[in-house]
Amino acid sequence: MHPLITLEEHFVSPNVSAASAEARAHYANFPPHILSKLECLGSERIADLDKGNVSLQVISHGPGNLSAPICTAANNDLAAAIAQHPARLAGFAMLPMSEPPAAALELERCVRDLGFLGALVDNHLDGQFYDDERFWPVFAKAHLLDVPIYIHPTFASSAMLDHYKGNYDDSVALALSAYGWSWHAETALHILRLYASGLFDRLPGLKVIIGHMGELLPFQLDRVCAVAERWGLRRSLREVWRSNIWVTTSGMFSLPALRCLLDVMPVEQVLYSVDYPFSGNERGLEFLEQIRRSGLIGGEEMELFAYRNAERLLGVRVRHEDGR
């Protein structure tokens, strides 16, 4: 069995729960057994890694618009846990995106001092996307440090939630505004906004990761690339898609979705992930077996997908069972 690296895997810091009523409200919606796993960075998490044959789990914090001191405390909590299991755990920084200069400094601290591999940021800041140039110092710092920014779905703001309400129960609206649709559509829109704003012309080596089989973009890619030719950017959207964007499978265990993704993106930029603890590592392992049986990915390409692409992107190496 070759190694596995997962990149969209989560935790919750007690420092965040204590300091943020908004974060506590989000976490209160999680089932107790999920919240327990989110809060654990020790033996239970390592045991769950073993159940899914995960060699290295790259961990990031749950959603929240949080201040610089709270982000620093959460990142320090994660760094302390990684120090206890350095061969099994790694980190993406949590950043105070409402304070872009502080976020850039925190990213630099986490990468240079704590050994983190990049950052994971919410898809929007109370409805504001990062195509606004005031956020670009964060991307410029990631570009300088040569580390990726993972753009992850987050909950709708109050103004955004109204768009999903209709002639059905509010619980349906909540689902449509989040995991049922909007998380993915809004993250796809965000990537297009970043492209249209000229961010990738300004920072041609910027590395961005998105999850969930590409957040709906693979299905629409040919159409939107044709439209984007009219936008006057130096680099085409297809070029940016194939050189600046990496996609994980997090939380999506669907062969048709994976087939579509592989039709429009080089396998070298497709990365295995689970979305722990919202999805179980065992389910990820079952999906890998489905992929093998289907013949969709095999041989050397399976090694790329399972861990080598992540090693190259993140600058890490994992240990093989034979000690290599």
Side-chain angles (χ1 to χ4, degrees):
M1 175 68 68
H2 49 63
L4 298 174
I5 297 177
T6 57
L7 289 83
E8 189 186 311
E9 325 301 319
H10 306 293
F11 88 109
V12 165
S13 164
N15 281 295
V16 172
S17 299
S20 171
E22 178 189 10
R24 287 196 301 275
H26 287 323
Y27 307 153
N29 293 320
F30 298 150
H33 73 284
I34 295 293
L35 186 57
S36 174
K37 288 183 181 294
L38 283 166
E39 292 173 342
C40 176
L41 288 170
S43 57
E44 180 182 3
R45 184 173 291 254
I46 298 301
D48 284 347
L49 294 184
D50 293 339
K51 292 174 185 176
N53 290 342
V54 176
S55 305
L56 181 69
Q57 183 183 72
V58 185
I59 305 172
S60 50
H61 202 279
N65 176 11
L66 302 168
S67 69
I70 298 174
C71 288
T72 295
N75 290 328
N76 288 343
D77 288 342
L78 179 54
I82 292 169
Q84 297 299 311
H85 304 281
R88 305 299 303 278
L89 306 179
F92 282 144
M94 185 183 200
L95 303 180
M97 291 300 289
S98 61
E99 310 167 56
L105 288 174
E106 180 62 7
L107 175 58
E108 183 171 38
R109 182 187 80 93
C110 287
V111 171
R112 292 188 171 170
D113 297 345
L114 303 183
F116 283 16
L117 306 178
L120 181 142
V121 299
D122 289 349
N123 179 49
H124 60 81
L125 190 68
D126 296 330
Q128 185 173 16
F129 295 92
Y130 305 140
D131 54 289
D132 188 324
E133 289 197 21
R134 79 181 186 92
F135 296 107
W136 289 15
V138 181
F139 294 104
K141 183 64 70 175
H143 187 263
L144 178 66
L145 295 168
D146 193 28
V147 296
I149 298 286
Y150 201 127
I151 298 180
H152 185 273
T154 192
F155 294 99
S157 66
S158 297
M160 295 168 75
L161 188 57
D162 288 342
H163 180 63
Y164 294 95
K165 292 183 177 179
N167 298 307
Y168 37 75
D169 191 85
D170 280 354
S171 64
V172 177
L174 184 63
L176 290 174
S177 76
Y179 45 83
W181 181 257
S182 178
W183 275 0
H184 314 295
E186 293 289 349
T187 304
L189 175 62
H190 197 163
I191 295 298
L192 298 178
R193 291 177 66 132
L194 292 177
Y195 171 74
S197 71
L199 176 66
F200 295 100
D201 281 353
R202 179 85 61 87
L203 302 172
L206 180 64
K207 299 173 180 177
V208 172
I209 309 173
I210 55 176
H212 308 105
M213 295 287 189
E215 310 290 15
L216 307 178
L217 280 169
F219 186 82
Q220 288 289 111
L221 193 69
D222 285 347
R223 183 178 181 90
V224 75
C225 281
V227 173
E229 291 177 2
R230 311 167 194 165
W231 296 351
L233 282 302
R234 291 198 303 274
R235 303 174 66 212
S236 71
L237 177 58
R238 196 175 299 277
E239 178 189 349
V240 168
W241 175 254
R242 291 185 171 179
S243 59
N244 297 88
I245 309 294
W246 281 256
V247 173
T248 79
T249 62
S250 60
M252 297 281 285
F253 305 102
S254 165
L255 289 177
L258 179 60
R259 184 175 293 110
C260 181
L261 173 59
L262 291 169
D263 279 346
V264 298
M265 172 165 276
V267 69
E268 288 81 4
Q269 286 173 243
V270 178
L271 309 160
Y272 173 67
S273 288
V274 171
D275 205 0
Y276 176 92
F278 304 106
S279 297
N281 293 320
E282 303 95 325
R283 188 176 182 192
L285 202 59
E286 292 169 1
F287 184 52
L288 285 172
E289 183 56 33
Q290 291 177 27
I291 295 170
R292 289 191 186 93
R293 289 198 304 267
S294 75
L296 193 55
I297 306 177
E300 183 179 345
E301 288 190 346
M302 180 61 83
E303 290 190 1
L304 294 174
F305 169 64
Y307 74 100
R308 290 195 186 279
N309 292 340
E311 285 186 325
R312 186 176 300 114
L313 174 62
L314 303 176
V316 297
R317 291 293 301 274
V318 293
R319 184 178 293 276
H320 293 241
E321 289 182 353
D322 60 9
R324 288 184 290 136

